Each structure stands twice: as structure tokens, then as C-alpha cells.
Amino acid sequence: MRRTPSRRVLAATLLVASVLAPMAAIPATAVNAAAAVARHDRGDEHPPQLGHQLTARLDAAIEKVRRQADIPGVVVGLWMPGRGSYVRATGVADTATGEPMTTDKFFRIGSETKTFTVTALLKLVDAGRIGLDDPISAYVDGVPDGDRITLRQLAEMRSGLFPYSADADFVHDLLSDPSRTFTPQELLAYGYKHKNTSAPGKAFEYNNSNLVLLGLVIERVTGHRVEDVIQRQVLRPAHLRQTLFPSGPEFPEPHPRGYTNQTLSGEVADSTDWNPSWAWSAGAMISDLHDLRRWAKIVATGELLSPETQAERLKTLPTGFPGLSYGLGIFNSGGWIGHNGSIPGYETVTVYLPSQHATLVLMINTDITYEGQEPSSLLARAITQIVTPNNVYDRPLPTRQETRTPGLPSL
């Protein structure tokens, strides 16, 4: 692995109608116990494969990017109705032992969590318990300019709040003790020390503070932990039995080791067991390939929401980056709808292409950039250039500020 002095800390991360009965977040042991049953229930373990020539091209392209960007291990799932599927794992899950990567691993999914948090929020909209244009001050006290910032603006990354993960003290505190548990209030306080970066609604700025606030809204309205609301109102109806919101550093088996250079020294470290509490409702969740495959279509087509609310979600606005627009906790990149995630040691992409009913899921065990670009974006671009040349997932090259300023998150 490269030892690059990158300081992009916390990229990504870095998404109830009824009254909920008290419950606890699913423990990792329960997820492990259910794994065998879930795998037998999928009924799609051996779908038709893509043709030999196309498969060979994908194999070569993925391996080229993996070696070029020094990615330890890659899991890819591509499903294209009428054309076939491509499910592969390559590289290693553990650089120390050489254990090969396999497709049955759990991964930390970083900012893909935002799609779950926002779905839980939008179910409250459908239930008439909140309005997208309500001010955040109606639910959470102390938010700078909170009387003018709406829930909609928080979900679409246009609040103007200063991102807590861009605060130098936060970066130092987290990297000094990656096992530390942060509360949502502690996280927000780092951002509140700074002036807002813009007026509400004026500019797109990717910001984990927005999603932490939406997590608090969900808790205020329901009276339950956001983890439990997501489990009851999103994961359960979506039949996602391998997806969880951890309460600490727990990580169900099997999982790969994760590698990052988001450290105080810039040296590469094993971040597998870092506590993701710092990302909370913006990026703490865990899932696997098959659950993310299912989730890609559900979130892009709005299966859990009313058509009216899903239409609001998909009103994507320009981000300032060509080819990339952002809605309510969801983006559109070259026609592919969904989200990606990056948290120290792991990156994922889960997207759906409505025009071809196609699904793409990527999972890798590093977040170390290559020439300023997220390695997951390099892979997604290479794959879609081959299989959907008219719809290329083409997240643009991040700016120097995005990739080098301590703490600034990227999508």
C-alpha cells in the first residue's frame, strides 16, 4: 500500500409513521446467525452471466484499475436484465495474510448511510408528521440560522452550515483516538464554532452536519433512536437482513481489513475496527453485496415512499460538478441514481440505471486516493464506460481543497 500524506479525513461520510415499540439495534451476532438463511432465500445465486467477451473486458478493466490505484481487494456486482450479470471478487481481504477477497463480505458503507437516513425522514413526510420545508429550529435548538434552514435544504446539501468534519480540532480528536465514541451533539459543536459558509439554499456543499441534524429530527419526532427507526421503517420492509447500524465498532464476520492514510502521520493504517460513531446517521452503517443490490432499486424507484415524495427526492440540482446532480440524500451521475460511500478504510458505490433497469454495486477495502481521485469512482467509471457507454458514472476529479484540506468530506 502507498504511504501518501493525504489528510482528507473523513471523506464521505465522511440517509415512521407508526409508533415504535422499544427495541435495540441488531447485534453483529444476530446478523451472523441470519446470514446462512438469508443467502438461501435470495434465489439469484446463479443468474445468467454476461457474454464471454464482455466479461473478459470487465475483468481486464477492473484489474487494471485495482493495480494502478493499489486497491487491496475489490467486490463488483453488475446486474443487467436481458443481458446477464457479472459478480466478481479480486485481490485480497487482508494484506498481511493474503486472504483472498470474496463476494460474501460485510463492508462499512460510509455515506451510503445517508440514503437510509433520508428514506426514514421521507417516511415521516408521507405520514404527515413533518414537512420538508419545516425549519430545523422547529426540531433542534441551537442551529446557526436554524429558523431559515429547512429540512429539504439539509437533505439536499444546501444548508450553508459549516461541516463539522472540516474542523481541525475534530480531525485531531478523531485521529488521536479512532476508538472514541462521539455523540451527535459533540459532532455538531465542532461545526458550530465557525460561521456558516453560505446563505441557506444558495450553494451545494457536501456536509455531514446536515445528516446528523436529520438523524436528530427523526429521533425527536419518533421518540426512538435513529438506528431503531431505520431498522423498523426501512431495513425491515426492504427485507435487508444483512444491513445494520452499529452502536460502536462492532463489525460482523466475514469482513475484509480496511486500509487508510487518513492518519495524523499520513502513514497507512488498518482502520477495520475504528469506531464509526463520528459519522452516525451520515455514515456509520454496514451492509453486503446482495443487500446493496436490492437497496439500489428500492431507493432509486421509491418503493418505500409515495410517488409524490419520491418525486421530491429525485429533484436533483446542480452541484457545480459537470454530470453530477444531487437530490434529497441521493445523486444522479450520468443517469445512474444512488449514492457512494467513503469512510477510512472502505469505499462503496450503489447505483441504479432506470433506463436499463441495471444495478451496479462496488465495494473496496481502502479509501486512499489515486492522483486525487476516489478509487471507487475510478472503478465505476471504467465499468460503465464498457457496459453503458451512453451512461458513464463519471464523478469528476475533486478539487485540491476537497482532497487535501483536513476533514473536508467528498461524496
Side-chain angles (χ1 to χ4, degrees):
M1 297 289 293
R2 299 180 308 281
R3 296 180 180 272
T4 309
S6 169
R7 301 293 296 281
R8 291 173 308 114
V9 176
L10 325 174
T13 342
L14 89 12
L15 282 140
V16 188
S18 60
V19 176
L20 303 180
M23 62 184 127
I26 295 180
T29 52
V31 174
N32 291 337
V37 174
R39 283 172 171 78
H40 282 294
D41 288 347
R42 287 171 182 145
D44 60 355
E45 294 299 321
H46 302 288
Q49 302 299 299
L50 295 174
H52 175 75
Q53 184 177 13
L54 191 55
T55 295
R57 290 180 65 196
L58 288 170
D59 285 343
I62 291 166
E63 191 62 12
K64 179 181 178 181
V65 172
R66 190 183 74 80
R67 292 184 180 278
Q68 182 181 51
D70 199 17
I71 303 169
V74 176
V75 175
V76 178
L78 174 66
W79 296 270
M80 306 187 73
R83 296 177 64 182
S85 65
Y86 176 93
V87 180
R88 290 283 193 280
T90 184
V92 298
D94 187 327
T95 59
T97 66
E99 175 194 347
M101 184 65 80
T102 55
T103 61
D104 63 345
K105 305 290 190 188
F106 289 91
F107 277 73
R108 298 194 187 279
I109 64 172
S111 281
E112 290 197 37
T113 301
K114 293 175 171 67
T115 62
F116 295 94
T117 299
V118 172
T119 299
L121 183 87
L122 294 179
K123 292 198 75 172
L124 290 173
V125 172
D126 275 342
R129 300 180 69 179
I130 63 172
L132 282 172
D133 297 312
D134 293 346
I136 184 60
S137 60
Y139 305 97
V140 181
D141 294 331
V143 181
D145 212 11
D147 290 341
R148 300 175 58 218
I149 297 171
T150 66
L151 305 186
R152 183 192 301 274
Q153 289 165 342
L154 291 165
E156 65 189 11
M157 302 294 176
R158 292 174 179 271
S159 69
L161 292 170
F162 187 93
Y164 70 81
S165 52
D167 176 75
D169 290 335
F170 167 74
V171 173
H172 179 270
D173 291 347
L174 174 62
L175 297 186
S176 296
D177 181 12
S179 66
R180 172 178 172 176
T181 297
F182 290 87
T183 67
Q185 292 76 17
E186 288 172 336
L187 296 172
L188 292 169
Y190 287 105
Y192 292 170
K193 296 187 302 180
H194 304 267
K195 293 181 179 180
N196 288 4
T197 59
S198 67
K202 183 177 180 180
F204 173 88
E205 182 179 21
Y206 196 75
N207 184 346
N208 289 326
S209 297
N210 296 333
L211 268 291
V212 169
L213 283 167
L214 293 182
L216 290 175
V217 171
I218 292 168
E219 293 195 333
R220 173 69 182 274
V221 173
T222 66
H224 296 275
R225 299 188 314 160
V226 67
E227 301 97 308
D228 300 334
V229 177
I230 288 174
Q231 168 62 29
R232 179 71 172 269
Q233 296 294 328
V234 182
L235 302 183
R236 188 175 298 177
H239 306 292
L240 303 181
R241 285 178 270 188
Q242 304 296 103
T243 304
L244 71 152
F245 193 135
S247 58
E250 64 267 24
F251 201 167
E253 295 284 356
H255 62 254
R257 309 305 295 180
Y259 304 95
T260 188
N261 62 356
Q262 296 198 66
T263 59
L264 289 177
S265 67
E267 295 292 298
V268 175
D270 184 327
S271 58
T272 308
D273 298 316
W274 286 14
N275 189 338
S277 68
W278 68 268
W280 198 50
S281 54
M285 290 179 68
I286 293 168
S287 191
D288 76 350
L289 176 66
H290 291 280
D291 266 16
L292 292 180
R293 172 195 178 181
R294 180 172 177 80
W295 181 240
K297 181 180 179 182
I298 290 172
V299 72
T301 61
E303 290 183 20
L304 300 183
L305 303 173
S306 70
E308 296 78 15
T309 298
Q310 180 68 3
E312 293 296 311
R313 176 174 218 163
L314 295 181
K315 289 180 179 177
T316 59
L317 300 174
T319 61
F321 301 108
L324 180 69
S325 59
Y326 202 89
L328 302 181
I330 201 166
F331 66 57
N332 183 318
S333 180
W336 290 91
I337 296 172
H339 217 288
N340 67 332
S342 179
I343 195 166
Y346 301 92
E347 288 195 346
T348 56
V349 174
T350 297
V351 287
Y352 181 78
L353 183 62
S355 62
Q356 297 192 35
H357 307 289
T359 298
L360 173 63
V361 178
L362 297 174
M363 306 188 297
I364 64 176
N365 56 338
T366 186
D367 68 313
I368 300 174
T369 58
Y370 174 73
E371 296 184 349
Q373 299 188 70
E374 303 288 339
S376 59
S377 294
L378 293 173
L379 284 166
R381 184 179 306 129
I383 291 167
T384 55
Q385 283 174 337
I386 293 171
V387 297
T388 56
N390 294 325
N391 297 98
V392 176
Y393 179 103
D394 197 21
R395 285 206 55 236
L397 178 70
T399 65
R400 178 185 177 90
Q401 184 184 41
E402 283 184 296
T403 58
R404 296 302 178 190
T405 301
L408 274 182
S410 61
L411 290 174

